[in-house]
Amino acid sequence: EQRLEPLQIWDVGASYGDCVLWTASMLSPLCSRYTRGSCLELTGFEPLPVAAAAFRRSAHSFTKLTQSLELPRGEVQVQVEEAAMRDVRGFLDISFPSHSMALATFLSCEEQYEIPSNQLYHCVRRETRSETLDAYLARWKTEQRSYIDLLKVHVQGDELSFLRGANSSIATGQICVLSLNLEHIAKASSVRSLSAVASQLVALFRRAKFAGVLVSIWDVRPATPEGLTAAMTNHQVQFWKRPGGSRPSPEELQYELLAWRNEEPCSRSLAVAAARRLWASTAAEF
């Protein structure tokens, strides 16, 4: 009988849960290695009540389907938390374009998405609850488990607020792999110098003993301070080259930061092993 730790995957800004449920379906075959107990434990954080409710219904349907298969494997658990992850706990307004709740933001919806007030589309505001990752993790961790294998963060310009609320968790090695969207950071009203922000990110990840890469549709580059600054301004990262040599679209210049920790206990994480296998030869040590 084989007993392995469940893989912990969390998604901050999960929207309708499509990424979480896709991950669950793709990784569930791994659960044949587990003879009992949990195999995958996935948690999605979504601040909009309507989106969270839709996510919860989809998660319930997924769970019912996997249980009906009656395969000899470990359990896949999907949890939905109706909250935003920021730097303070409390309640505040979030807004989104009327045509897409997936674009919900704590910045100015009108400015970020350039939505004119006299057209068909408009911005909608809703109150939501906020939490910090540090506080949430402090309640969640146990003696048996104190780290998250993979944390994905897509929060439409609220990345710096999220990182302030997750500073301790990252610096103390409780996050093993972090996937952070960079394209909206430059639109945050508090940002004055993106090179200074890049330096702050490097300092945080250095304390956590992370290595990292910048990943776009066609390209993978080391996560250097210069590369982080370019990615946050949606500018071409040095040496970027699209196959065929044609001019890239703005979407193809969007970079994701993928950073991971090689130290214990993360050295045992399957997510770290996967990141190292894919990108260790390209990564920069922070």
Side-chain angles (χ1 to χ4, degrees), residues 153-163 180-181 184-185:
V153 182
H154 278 202
V155 287
Q156 308 296 335
D158 210 42
E159 291 80 9
L160 298 181
S161 176
F162 164 81
L163 289 172
L180 180 69
N181 187 266
H184 293 289
I185 290 181

Side-chain angles (χ1 to χ4, degrees), residues 227-242:
L228 286 169
T229 302
M232 286 188 290
T233 55
N234 207 23
H235 289 168
Q236 184 167 322
V237 177
Q238 189 176 12
F239 304 126
W240 189 94
K241 184 179 180 181
R242 178 181 180 180

Side-chain angles (χ1 to χ4, degrees), residues 5-269:
E5 286 186 339
L7 192 64
Q8 295 284 344
I9 300 177
W10 292 10
D11 186 355
V12 177
S15 189
Y16 297 106
D18 47 341
C19 289
V20 170
L21 296 172
W22 178 86
T23 301
S25 63
M26 294 299 293
L27 294 182
S28 59
L30 293 175
C31 294
S32 61
R33 299 171 57 191
Y34 293 66
T35 57
R36 60 183 176 84
S38 290
C39 162
L40 292 171
E41 295 182 359
L42 303 101
T43 302
F45 298 87
E46 171 50 45
L48 283 173
V50 174
F55 181 8
R56 199 171 286 112
R57 290 192 297 270
S58 297
H60 177 73
S61 298
F62 176 84
T63 300
K64 294 280 288 184
L65 175 62
T66 54
Q67 290 174 345
S68 69
L69 298 177
E70 296 183 350
L71 299 176
R73 63 185 185 187
E75 298 176 358
V76 178
Q77 299 182 12
V78 180
Q79 179 179 345
V80 181
E81 290 282 0
E82 189 179 308
M85 285 290 163
R86 306 190 80 242
D87 55 355
V88 293
R89 302 179 67 183
F91 292 87
L92 72 166
D93 284 345
I94 189 171
S95 60
F96 57 91
S98 57
H99 62 281
S100 177
M101 283 190 290
L103 298 177
T105 179
F106 289 106
L107 302 180
S108 169
C109 170
E110 289 83 359
E111 292 179 8
Q112 179 151 340
Y113 302 116
E114 298 179 354
I115 297 176
S117 59
N118 59 345
Q119 298 297 321
L120 176 63
Y121 299 124
H122 59 280
C123 286
V124 180
R125 283 172 174 76
R126 294 288 184 269
E127 185 180 67
T128 189
R129 178 175 68 90
S130 68
E131 171 73 282
T132 72
L133 186 72
D134 287 343
Y136 188 92
L137 265 176
R139 299 194 302 271
W140 172 84
K141 66 181 181 180
T142 65
E143 291 183 2
Q144 291 74 36
R145 186 64 184 242
S146 61
Y147 64 91
I148 306 305
D149 292 281
L150 172 63
L151 178 65
K152 168 181 167 281
V153 182
H154 278 202
V155 287
Q156 308 296 335
D158 210 42
E159 291 80 9
L160 298 181
S161 176
F162 164 81
L163 289 172
R164 287 192 294 269
N167 190 294
S168 177
S169 302
I170 294 172
T172 56
Q174 295 176 69
I175 307 300
C176 292
V177 179
L178 174 66
S179 177
L180 180 69
N181 187 266
L182 298 172
E183 64 177 298
H184 293 289
I185 290 181
K187 296 181 179 180
S189 59
S190 60
V191 172
R192 294 293 179 266
S193 171
L194 288 176
S195 61
V197 172
S199 297
Q200 293 171 14
L201 295 179
V202 169
L204 171 61
F205 298 136
R206 182 178 293 131
R207 290 197 301 273
K209 300 181 179 179
F210 273 18
V213 291
L214 295 167
V215 182
S216 72
I217 293 177
W218 299 111
D219 190 31
V220 179
R221 302 305 309 167
T224 62
E226 297 77 15
L228 286 169
T229 302
M232 286 188 290
T233 55
N234 207 23
H235 289 168
Q236 184 167 322
V237 177
Q238 189 176 12
F239 304 126
W240 189 94
K241 184 179 180 181
R242 178 181 180 180
S246 57
R247 186 173 182 176
S249 67
E251 291 76 18
E252 291 172 318
L253 291 177
Q254 293 172 1
Y255 278 80
E256 189 94 1
L257 171 64
L258 203 293
W260 63 90
R261 175 182 166 90
N262 293 312
E263 304 287 324
E264 286 287 341
C266 292
S267 58
R268 304 193 300 267
S269 170

